[in-house]
């Protein structure tokens, strides 16, 4: 399902979002009068997290897209080994 992609970026997004949500909750507990102002921030953080998660999970093809590279690998390696005067 993940096509050899690491989950580090996804875990980072979820971790940062959780820390922000915990910070907002702590602020709401300390200052209850801010409840009406903080509720939209909860939705914004949840929305951004969902968006970033969906981008990470977006559909990818199983085929190797770089397999048919139109540039020749031999030319690239020859160009990197030639000496310039």
């Amino acid at each position: 399902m993940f096509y050899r992609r690491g989950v580090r970026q996804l875990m980072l997004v979820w971790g940062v979002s959780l820390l922000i949500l915990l910070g907002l909750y702590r602020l709401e507990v300390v200052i209850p009068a801010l409840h009406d102002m903080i509720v939209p921030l909860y939705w914004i953080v949840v929305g951004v997290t969902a968006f970033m998660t969906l981008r990470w999970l977006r559909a990818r093809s199983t085929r190797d897209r770089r397999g048919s590279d139109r540039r020749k690998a031999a030319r690239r390696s020859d160009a990197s080994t030639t000496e310039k005067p």
Side-chain angles (χ1 to χ4, degrees), residues 22-34 38 41-42:
L22 287 173
L24 288 173
Y25 177 76
R26 177 70 179 148
L27 185 64
E28 187 176 354
V29 168
V30 172
I31 309 170
L34 293 178
I38 290 180
L41 295 177
Y42 285 130

Side-chain angles (χ1 to χ4, degrees), residues 7-62:
V7 295
R8 184 180 307 157
Q9 181 181 8
L10 184 64
M11 292 297 121
L12 181 68
V13 167
W14 278 91
V16 169
S17 299
L18 185 62
L19 288 175
I20 291 172
L21 289 174
L22 287 173
L24 288 173
Y25 177 76
R26 177 70 179 148
L27 185 64
E28 187 176 354
V29 168
V30 172
I31 309 170
L34 293 178
H35 174 75
D36 291 336
M37 294 173 50
I38 290 180
V39 170
L41 295 177
Y42 285 130
W43 286 108
I44 291 170
V45 171
V46 169
V48 169
T49 303
F51 176 75
M52 296 300 288
T53 301
L54 290 175
R55 279 189 51 113
W56 189 86
L57 290 172
R58 70 185 181 269
R60 294 203 176 225
S61 64
T62 56

